[in-house]
Amino acid sequence: MNKWKKILIFLMLPIGAYAQDLSLVQYVKPIIGTAKMGHTFPGATVPFGSVQLSPDTDTIPYAVDGKYNGEVYKYCAGYQYADPTIVGFSHTHFSGTGHSDLGDFLIMPTTGDVQMNPGTSDQPENGYRSAYSHDNEVAEPNYYRVKLDDHQILAELTTSARVGFHQYTFPKSSNGHIILDLMAGIYNYDDKNVWTVVRVVNDSLVTGYRQTNGWGRTRTVYFAMSFSKPFKEYGTQNNDPVQVYKGFWRKFNQEKNFPDLAGKKLRMHFDFSTEEGEKVKIKFAISPVSMQNALANMQAEIPHWDFDRVKHHGQQLWEKELQKIVVDVPTNEDRINFYTAMYHAALMPTMYMDNNGQYKGLDQEVHQADGFTNYTSFSLWDTFRAFHPYLNLVNPKRNADMVASMMAHYQQSVLHMLPIWSHYANDNWCMSGYHSVSVIADAIIKGVYKGDALAALEACIQTANARNYDGIGAYIDKGYVPADISGTAVSNTLEYAYDDWCIAQLAKKLGRMDVYQDFIKRSSNWKNVYDPSVGFMRPRMTDGTFKRDFDVLKTDGQGFIEGNAWNFSLYVPHDPEGMMVNMGGKKRLSRYLDSLFSMHLPDEFFAHTEDITRDGIIGNYVHGNEPSHHVAYLYNITGEPWKAQQKIRMILKHQYHNGADGLGGNDDCGQMSAWFIFSSLGFYPVAPASDEYWLGSPAVRNAKLQFDNGNTLIVKAINQSDKNVFVKKVTLNGEEVKSYKLKHADLMNGGELIFYMSEKK
Amino acid sequence: MNKWKKILIFLMLPIGAYAQDLSLVQYVKPIIGTAKMGHTFPGATVPFGSVQLSPDTDTIPYAVDGKYNGEVYKYCAGYQYADPTIVGFSHTHFSGTGHSDLGDFLIMPTTGDVQMNPGTSDQPENGYRSAYSHDNEVAEPNYYRVKLDDHQILAELTTSARVGFHQYTFPKSSNGHIILDLMAGIYNYDDKNVWTVVRVVNDSLVTGYRQTNGWGRTRTVYFAMSFSKPFKEYGTQNNDPVQVYKGFWRKFNQEKNFPDLAGKKLRMHFDFSTEEGEKVKIKFAISPVSMQNALANMQAEIPHWDFDRVKHHGQQLWEKELQKIVVDVPTNEDRINFYTAMYHAALMPTMYMDNNGQYKGLDQEVHQADGFTNYTSFSLWDTFRAFHPYLNLVNPKRNADMVASMMAHYQQSVLHMLPIWSHYANDNWCMSGYHSVSVIADAIIKGVYKGDALAALEACIQTANARNYDGIGAYIDKGYVPADISGTAVSNTLEYAYDDWCIAQLAKKLGRMDVYQDFIKRSSNWKNVYDPSVGFMRPRMTDGTFKRDFDVLKTDGQGFIEGNAWNFSLYVPHDPEGMMVNMGGKKRLSRYLDSLFSMHLPDEFFAHTEDITRDGIIGNYVHGNEPSHHVAYLYNITGEPWKAQQKIRMILKHQYHNGADGLGGNDDCGQMSAWFIFSSLGFYPVAPASDEYWLGSPAVRNAKLQFDNGNTLIVKAINQSDKNVFVKKVTLNGEEVKSYKLKHADLMNGGELIFYMSEKK
C-alpha cells in the first residue's frame, strides 16, 4: 500500500485551491477528440450528468433544400477545435457520436447593440457569436473557460447533474445582454423545432420547454433559468410565420417585456448594465418532465451562487470516478491518454430523471424510477462491446441501473423491444443488431444486475423475435437476413447471431434450456452468410444465392454498415474457433489478419467512407469503427499471441494521443475509450456474456483497480517499456495463466495480475 | 305541492324504457340552433361534460393561402343543418361561439375500400364521409343517432363526462373500417396540428395525443380508444413531408400494423369483418394530462360495453339539471324553447380535469384540483351578463367551482391576470373587458363563492391593472382607452368602467374602502367617451379630441366590437340613471330607445356585420350580440316599464323558436339561453355584482325554482297569455314590489313571486 501512496503523492500537482483532492482530475484533457472526427465536447459536465454545458462553434443546418448537408457531420458535439468563433453555450451534447441531436438552449453573453442572429464564422461581428483564441481557453472536467473577444467577456461554465452554471465576467457596459437562442440546436433543420414555450416568471427567473423532432422523434426538454442579477429589460424575436389565427394576441406587444411566449422559433435577449469585472451568473436547470421539476432540480442541486463550490463538487465526483483505476504509466502523455479515456468513458449514457425520480418514458408518460437511476442515450451498437463490460468491472452499480433503465424502456415499448439506441423518450433505431441483450446477459452472468433475471430473459426473447424489425422475420425463417430486403443484411445477420448466443448464455445461466436450444441454434446463423468460394461473409439473396456484384472493400451497398467485408467477415466473437475452421484453419486466418493490418487501400476508399481517414486505420483495419475492436486479439487463436500483443500496443500508441485531434475516430460514447482502458490493462472482453477476457499486452507499468466488492486488483507489467510489448508469461495471484483467457470472476477476487514483458516475441 | 305533481305527471310522455325518470329531457331539442348562426351542436354530452361527441358536416380550412376563409365561420360547432353529408364524429365542440377550435379526434365508420381522405360534400363517394338524411337523425340530450347512407351504417353516440361512446351497427361486410382522422379539426389550418402521437397498445386499444396551435395556442389533448371487438388489421396515412432525418425509421414498414406513430398529420384505419347488424362499439376517453389518465377516465366512467346504460345515466344527469326549474308554459313550443335554453345553458364552461383531479394549467404544468371541479372555456364577454348570474341562482355549486377555476387560472398566469377567454391550458384573449371580475364579484356578493375573498379581490385588482393589456395602461392614465392605440377603444372603456364598478362593489363588501375609492372613481370613466355634441359614445384620441369620421351604425373601425354606437352607447349597466342624465333625461332616453327598436337599417349594414341577419335584429337592436342584452329593461328608468315588458315578450317570441334555425344569433356559450330563461321568468340581472334583478314580463304561467339552499321559489303569472304581456302588479310573498327591482337575497328565501298580467299597459 505504501508504494501506492507514493505514486499518489507524486501525482499530486497543485491545481487551484482544492488541489489535494484532485490528483487525477488534472490529467483529464477534455479538449482531446474535439478536432476532426473525435466528436467529443470540451465543456463542463459531471460523470454521466444530464447537463453537458459546452460551447458550440457553429450552427450548420442538417439539410439544405431537403438534402443532407455533409458539413453538419462535423458538429455532432457542437464544437470543432479548428473553428474561429463560438456561437454560444448549450446544455446538452452527445459525446463521440457519428450522428446527433441536442444542443438545447444556447446561451451567449454579449455587449453592444442587441444582435438576435448568430452571424457567420467569417463575419462574427454580424451576429451575437464571438471570435476566441485557444490561448484563452481552459477545459477541465466540469470546468470550461474562454474569453469572448468580440464582447470582452470571460465565460466560465460548470455544472451539477441537471444544472448548467454560467459565470460571465462583463466589462463596464450599459448595454450587456444574455441571448437565449431557442432556435439553435445541433443537427438542426427547418422543422426540427416542434414547439417552444417560455414564461418570464419575474425579473430573474425564466421557465419553459422545447419539443424537437430530430434524431429523437418526440423529444421535450423543460428548463428553469435563474439570473444572479435582475435584468433591466428583455425582448423576443419570433421567427414563426404569422398565423391568421393570432389576431387577439395583437392586444399585447409581444416583442418587449412580454412574459408569455410560445412558438416554433424563438430567440430572447435579457439586458443588463454592468460594472467593470462584474459577474452575471446563470443557473440553467433542465428536466425531461416539467418546468417545475427543472426548478426543483435547481433548488436541490445548487441552492446558492458560489461558482467555485459547484465546480469543485463536480471535480470531486470526477476524482472519485478516476480513482477506480490508479495507474503508473511511462509518460505524462500516457497518463493523460488514460485518464481522458476514463473521462470519456463516464459521459454517456446520461442520467435521465429528475431529483424526484420522475422521467418521461418511451411511452411519453411520466414515470417514477423506483429503486434505480434511470439513464438514456444508449449507443448500444458501439457500447455493448467494451464499454458496458468496463462498467461491469469497475462501475457495476451504474451498469445495473443501466440494465434497469433498459428494462423500463422495454416495459414502455409498444413494440415490446429493448432499446436499440435509446434517446430521451425515444428510440432513434440507429445502427444494427439488438445489442441490449448482450449488455443484459453480460450483466446478469457477471452477477451485476440483481433485478428479475427471468423477466430480463423474456425481454431479450421478445426483442429477438420482433419480426417487423430490420429483417428479423426473414432471419428467423431463413437463418439469414436476405440482401434484397435489407441494405445491411450481412452485418445484421452476424450481429443477430452473436446476440442470439448471448440470449442462449443467459438462458443457460437461468436454467431455461428450451430457450438455450432455440438461441444456440440461431447463434450459428453467421455460417449462412459465409461464402467459402470467396472466403468472406457475403450478401445472400432470398433465393439463397449470393449477391453477384460484390466489393470486399466497400461498405455501402454491400450489405454492411460501418465496416466492409474484410473487417466484418471476422465478426463471430462468440465462435471465433468455428469461424477459423470455416475460413480454412489457423494459417488461413493468420494470413487474413496479416493482410488486413498491412494492405494498402486506394484513395478512393477514403472518399466514400464516413468516419474513416488514413490516420484512423492500419492497413484495412479500421479502429475508428467498432466491428474490428476484437480483431487484434484474434491472433490468440492462430497461435500467434505475439502478433496480437504487437498490434494492440501499436493501436494504443497510434490511435490515441494528447492533441485535440487525439482520437482516430468518433469516441462513440465511450467505446473507443473503453477499448483503450481494457487494452492498456492487458485484457479485453472479446465476447461479452462469456465471462471471459482475452489477453493482450498491457501498456501500464502498474494499475490498481478498486472494485465495488472491496477487492483490489493490481496489474503489474514487469520489465515494461515501449519496446517490450511481448508478454512472456502471465500469473494471477502467483499461478501462471496457461490459456489466453482470464475469467471475470477470478479478477473480481482481487490480487495480483502480473505480466512479464519482453522485447522479444 | 300537489299541483306540481299534477303538472309533472302531465309532462310525463314516454320516451324509451326509462321514460318515467326523464319527464323534462324529452323537451330538449339539441337540433335547435344548428342551422345558420346558432352555432350549437346536435351531438351527445352530459351537463358541462368534457366530451361533446357530435357530427361534423364539413372540414373547411380556416385560411386559404394565408387568407381567412369566410366560409369557416359557419362551422364553429362542426355541424350545419343544411349540409348534405357527415364527415365524421369528433369529441370536442364549443357551443354557440363565433370563433372556434377543437373538433378533436374525428371518427368515421365506413364499408368498402378504405378511403383515407374525407372527400367533398358534392362527391361524398370520393371520401370516407357519407350522405345522410334528417329523417334518419335523432338528437336528444346525450344521445345522437343517424344513418350513414353511403356505408349503410347506423351510428349512435352517447357519452359520460370524459368518454365518448360510439355504437356503429354494420351491414354484413368483410370490408368494414373505423377511420380515426387525426388531421381533422374545427377551424383547421395547415400548421394547426403541432404534433400527434399514437400507440396501438393491442388489437383493441389505442392511445395517443395531439397538440394543436389554434385559437388555443398550446393545447394538447390525450386519448385512449377502446374497441369492443379486435380489429383485424390497421394502417396509417402520414401526410407529413418526408424528413431527411428519418432514415432509421425505414427499418419498419410504418404504413401497416405499425404501432408506434408520431407526426403532424396522421390518419388511421382499423379494419373489421362484420355480420349483418353487428355492432362495433368504441369508447373514446380524453384527458388534458396524459394517455394513462385518459385510460383511467375510461375505466372509471364506463367499465362496461352497455350503450343504453351510458345513455340513460347521462340523460338522468340532464333531467336533474332541468328539474331545477319546472315550468308551466302555454304551448309545447314554449316548453321546448325553455328546456332547450336550459340545456344550452349547461354545456359550457366544460369540466377540465381527470377523474383523479389532475389537469394541465395555464402554466402548462400538471395541477391537482384541490377541493373543486376545474372548468375551462369561459367565454366571459358573453357569459358574465346573465349566464353566470343564472348559475348563481340555480346552480351555485358549479359557479363557485368556476370562480375557483378562474382563481387557479390567475395563480398560473405569468401575466398575473384572471381569464379573458380561458381555453384549456390557454387564454385566447377573445373579446374585450376583464369580466372575470364581474363573475367573481357577483358570486362573492351573492354568497356563492366561499373561497378566499380577499385573494379574489387581489386577483381582480391585478387584472384591472395589467397595463400592457389592450389599452389598460392608457385607460388608467387618461380615464379612457384612446382610439389611436386600440381598435375597440370605446367598448373597452365602457366595459372596463363597468368591471371597475364590480371591483368597487366587491371591495366595499370586504371592507376594503381604499380599493373601493380607487375603483368607484374608475367606474365613471364611461363619461369620458360620451360626446354630448352627438349624443353617443364616441372614439376619443390620445389628445382628447373625438375621432373625426364617425359612423354610428358601423362597428368595425368605429372603436367598438360586436355592437355599433347606437347599441354600445347604452352600455353603462352599473349607472344607467347617470347615463340617462348624461343623455338628457328620461324623455331623451325614451326616444333613443324607441328609435333603436324601430329604425330601418340599410341593406349595406348587414353585408358588413358578422353574426347579424335581419332575423336577428329588431330595428337596430341586435339581440344576437350581447352588449344590448340589458337594453329592453332600460325602459324601467324612463318610467315606461310597459315598453320594457312589450319588447321583452317580443324578443322572447321572435328570437327563439323550435327550428334548427331557432336561435337568432350565436348562442354564445349559454348567454343567449340564460337571457331567455331569466326573461321568461320575469326578471333579469342588468348589472351583475349588484345583487339586484330588474323586472320584465314573464312568459311562463308558472315556474318552480328549486334552490340549493332548500328553498323553493314559485313564479306565477296570473292572467297570463300571449296578449297579456303587461305587468300591473308584482308581489313577493304577498308584499307588493314597488320598485322595478328585486333583491337576489329575497328571492333566495323562496316563496311566491306573483305577476299580475294584463292586456293593457
Side-chain angles (χ1 to χ4, degrees), chain A residues 56-58 74-75 79-87 120-124 129-134 146-150:
Chain A
D56 295 326
T57 56
D58 228 319
K74 285 165 65 179
Y75 293 96
Y79 180 97
Q80 273 292 348
Y81 191 78
D83 282 345
T85 63
I86 285 176
V87 182
T120 54
S121 61
D122 53 337
Q123 293 190 302
R129 77 168 72 195
S130 172
Y132 74 108
S133 160
H134 293 301
V146 72
K147 183 160 154 270
L148 300 169
D149 293 337
D150 290 19

Side-chain angles (χ1 to χ4, degrees), chain A residues 270-383:
Chain A
F270 303 91
D271 309 333
F272 297 87
S273 289
T274 53
E275 296 304 317
E276 179 66 32
E278 182 174 350
K279 290 176 168 60
V280 174
K281 305 179 194 182
I282 297 165
K283 293 187 283 198
F284 197 105
I286 63 171
S287 159
V289 170
S290 67
M291 293 171 273
Q292 60 194 4
N293 274 15
L295 191 56
N297 289 340
M298 185 194 293
Q299 286 158 347
E301 294 183 2
I302 314 183
H304 56 76
W305 286 102
D306 185 341
F307 183 91
D308 289 340
R309 192 165 139 205
V310 177
K311 172 189 169 190
H312 178 63
H313 180 71
Q315 293 196 329
Q316 280 180 312
L317 294 176
W318 277 115
E319 185 66 22
K320 198 175 154 199
E321 285 297 321
L322 302 175
Q323 289 286 352
K324 292 170 186 290
I325 307 179
V326 179
V327 293
D328 175 21
V329 286
T331 69
N332 202 50
E333 170 152 15
D334 294 336
R335 198 171 283 118
I336 288 169
N337 278 341
F338 192 88
Y339 285 109
T340 302
M342 282 190 75
Y343 173 81
H344 282 147
L347 296 175
M348 292 179 67
T350 52
M351 280 182 278
Y352 177 63
M353 64 179 210
D354 290 317
N355 261 288
N356 63 7
Q358 290 186 327
Y359 66 98
K360 193 171 282 179
L362 185 68
D363 54 4
Q364 297 287 324
E365 302 276 12
V366 176
H367 292 269
Q368 185 77 31
D370 199 7
F372 69 102
T373 297
N374 192 54
Y375 288 87
T376 190
S377 302
F378 293 100
S379 183
L380 289 158
W381 183 85
D382 301 298
T383 57

Side-chain angles (χ1 to χ4, degrees), chain A residues 41-55:
Chain A
F41 61 83
T45 188
V46 296
F48 306 97
S50 300
V51 163
Q52 307 84 29
L53 178 54
S54 188

Side-chain angles (χ1 to χ4, degrees), chain B residues 90-103:
Chain B
S90 71
H91 294 79
T92 53
H93 295 84
F94 289 141
S95 177
T97 53
H99 192 81
S100 194
D101 200 351
L102 316 188

Side-chain angles (χ1 to χ4, degrees), chain B residues 518-719:
Chain B
D518 277 359
F519 280 87
I520 204 69
K521 185 156 168 268
R522 282 172 59 154
S523 77
S524 65
N525 280 342
W526 61 271
K527 291 174 184 168
N528 298 331
V529 289
Y530 182 73
D531 179 1
S533 77
V534 294
F536 288 99
M537 303 291 180
R538 181 171 180 175
R540 199 167 172 189
M541 314 308 283
T542 299
D543 67 7
T545 62
F546 285 101
K547 180 174 180 291
R548 293 264 173 110
D549 301 318
F550 180 46
D551 184 331
V552 295
L553 288 178
K554 277 176 71 179
T555 297
D556 283 359
Q558 303 302 313
F560 299 98
I561 187 165
E562 292 203 16
N564 57 18
W566 263 100
N567 283 276
F568 247 117
S569 290
L570 298 166
Y571 193 70
V572 190
H574 55 296
D575 189 9
E577 306 264 359
M579 176 193 77
M580 185 165 66
V581 170
N582 239 32
M583 289 176 88
K586 286 190 182 189
K587 281 193 181 164
R588 291 284 295 271
L589 177 58
S590 172
R591 275 208 300 275
Y592 187 105
L593 293 171
D594 289 350
S595 298
L596 179 72
F597 279 106
S598 60
M599 67 197 293
H600 184 79
L601 291 177
D603 289 341
E604 193 237 16
F605 173 85
F606 297 97
H608 294 98
T609 313
E610 195 176 72
D611 196 18
I612 293 174
T613 63
R614 272 210 193 277
D615 295 346
I617 76 169
I618 299 164
N620 182 10
Y621 169 88
V622 182
H623 191 66
N625 280 337
E626 276 68 11
S628 303
H629 274 192
H630 66 300
V631 161
Y633 289 86
L634 289 178
Y635 280 114
N636 275 308
I637 58 169
T638 65
E640 302 154 308
W642 58 274
K643 285 189 184 172
Q645 293 152 16
Q646 195 180 38
K647 298 282 183 283
I648 290 159
R649 292 291 288 270
M650 179 175 69
I651 297 167
L652 285 169
K653 198 155 191 73
H654 292 292
Q655 298 287 314
Y656 302 82
H657 68 84
N658 281 187
D661 59 346
L663 295 180
N666 303 157
D667 188 59
D668 287 326
C669 310
Q671 167 59 25
M672 289 281 282
S673 292
W675 189 96
F676 182 89
I677 297 164
F678 269 121
S679 294
S680 294
L681 296 173
F683 52 93
Y684 187 82
V686 166
S690 72
D691 191 24
E692 289 173 346
Y693 301 101
W694 289 28
L695 289 172
S697 171
V700 299
R701 278 196 206 119
N702 281 280
K704 178 187 169 198
L705 286 72
Q706 183 61 56
F707 297 139
D708 275 16
N709 62 10
N711 297 333
T712 301
L713 177 69
I714 307 294
V715 177
K716 278 190 202 172
I718 307 287
N719 203 25

Side-chain angles (χ1 to χ4, degrees), chain A residues 376-682:
Chain A
T376 190
S377 302
F378 293 100
S379 183
L380 289 158
W381 183 85
D382 301 298
T383 57
F384 81 91
R385 302 166 201 265
F387 171 78
H388 287 283
Y390 161 68
L391 294 185
N392 281 340
L393 194 68
V394 294
N395 227 334
K397 173 68 174 73
R398 291 213 195 255
N399 208 43
D401 281 353
M402 288 174 195
V403 171
S405 304
M406 291 178 194
M407 287 301 295
H409 177 113
Y410 168 76
Q411 283 147 12
Q412 294 151 11
S413 164
V414 76
L415 292 153
H416 307 295
M417 287 180 72
L418 286 160
I420 302 298
W421 209 115
S422 92
H423 184 147
Y424 288 62
N426 298 271
D427 200 315
N428 66 36
W429 305 106
C430 187
M431 302 305 290
S432 47
Y434 32 86
H435 304 303
S436 281
V437 307
S438 168
V439 177
I440 290 173
D442 199 47
I444 293 175
I445 286 165
K446 291 177 178 166
V448 165
Y449 177 66
K450 307 284 203 300
D452 184 338
L454 283 169
L457 176 62
E458 182 59 30
C460 293
I461 296 167
Q462 287 288 333
T463 304
N465 287 317
R467 294 184 60 94
N468 291 322
Y469 177 69
D470 209 8
I472 289 181
Y475 171 83
I476 292 170
D477 296 341
K478 302 189 80 74
Y480 61 95
V481 178
D484 37 350
I485 70 157
S486 168
T488 57
V490 189
S491 43
N492 284 11
T493 302
L494 297 173
E495 295 179 12
Y496 294 167
Y498 161 71
D499 290 334
D500 290 341
W501 176 83
C502 295
I503 297 173
Q505 301 312 301
L506 177 58
K508 191 166 72 176
K509 166 100 180 173
L510 301 177
R512 283 290 306 274
M513 294 313 288
D514 53 330
V515 176
Y516 173 80
Q517 292 302 342
D518 278 359
F519 280 87
I520 204 68
K521 184 156 169 266
R522 283 173 57 155
S523 78
S524 66
N525 280 341
W526 62 269
K527 292 174 184 166
N528 298 331
V529 288
Y530 182 74
D531 179 2
S533 76
V534 294
F536 288 99
M537 302 293 181
R538 181 171 181 176
R540 199 166 173 189
M541 315 307 282
T542 299
D543 66 8
T545 62
F546 285 101
K547 181 175 181 291
R548 293 266 172 108
D549 300 317
F550 179 46
D551 184 331
V552 292
L553 289 178
K554 277 178 72 179
T555 298
D556 283 358
Q558 302 302 313
F560 300 98
I561 187 165
E562 290 202 17
N564 57 20
W566 264 99
N567 283 277
F568 247 118
S569 291
L570 298 166
Y571 193 71
V572 190
H574 56 294
D575 189 10
E577 306 264 0
M579 176 192 79
M580 185 166 65
V581 169
N582 240 32
M583 290 175 89
K586 285 190 184 189
K587 283 193 182 165
R588 290 286 294 272
L589 177 58
S590 172
R591 276 209 299 276
Y592 187 103
L593 293 170
D594 291 347
S595 297
L596 179 71
F597 279 105
S598 61
M599 65 197 294
H600 183 79
L601 290 177
D603 289 342
E604 193 235 17
F605 174 84
F606 298 95
H608 294 97
T609 313
E610 194 176 74
D611 197 17
I612 293 175
T613 62
R614 274 212 192 276
D615 294 346
I617 78 170
I618 299 164
N620 182 10
Y621 169 86
V622 183
H623 190 66
N625 280 336
E626 275 68 11
S628 303
H629 274 193
H630 66 300
V631 161
Y633 288 88
L634 290 178
Y635 280 113
N636 276 307
I637 57 168
T638 65
E640 302 154 306
W642 57 274
K643 285 189 184 174
Q645 294 151 16
Q646 195 180 38
K647 297 284 181 284
I648 290 160
R649 292 292 286 271
M650 177 174 69
I651 297 167
L652 284 169
K653 196 153 194 76
H654 292 292
Q655 297 288 312
Y656 302 81
H657 67 83
N658 281 188
D661 59 346
L663 296 179
N666 304 156
D667 188 61
D668 287 326
C669 310
Q671 166 59 26
M672 289 281 282
S673 293
W675 189 96
F676 182 89
I677 298 164
F678 270 121
S679 293
S680 293
L681 296 172

